[in-house]
Amino acid sequence: MAKIFKDSKGQSWRLALNVGSLRNIKDQLGIDLLNQPGDMPTELSGVVDCLWVALFDQIQSRDLTEVDFAMLLDGDCLAVAVDAFMDELASFFLKIQPSKAAAIKGIWDKTKELDKMQVEAVETMLGALSID
């Protein structure tokens, strides 16, 4: 089932991963999410590239350049878009390879949990610093 997210201007984007979109990602970016979904990039530029390829038809119909599209993804929107992408990737595998779907969802959930823990640790360390 497709996931919907909104960009910084409130425009809706429909993210639907299928064999064709995953093959396009492989062909254009060299990332084989169809056979190795664990190869999903962790750096933000790689994630934006995956979104660009997956949403290319919508981007093209709106006459946006790659830069125009990227400008629509502020931090909040990008966080929602990445969540949508990961949920959609897990959903894609749900019926055909449930163990892959569970692994994708579990890894993504743990990644977000670890990020939250890291933020809390940094805040604790910064709070412990005293400047005299």
Side-chain angles (χ1 to χ4, degrees), residues 54-79:
L55 297 168
F56 186 74
D57 290 342
Q58 293 171 71
I59 293 166
Q60 193 173 37
S61 73
R62 297 176 192 194
D63 292 323
L64 297 174
T65 66
E66 195 168 354
V67 173
D68 294 335
F69 174 67
M71 296 288 285
L72 295 170
L73 298 175
D74 63 18
D76 291 338
C77 297
L78 184 57

Side-chain angles (χ1 to χ4, degrees), residues 7-20:
D7 62 31
S8 62
K9 290 189 177 179
Q11 300 173 99
S12 292
W13 295 88
R14 184 180 182 274
L15 181 61
L17 296 179
N18 52 50
V19 173

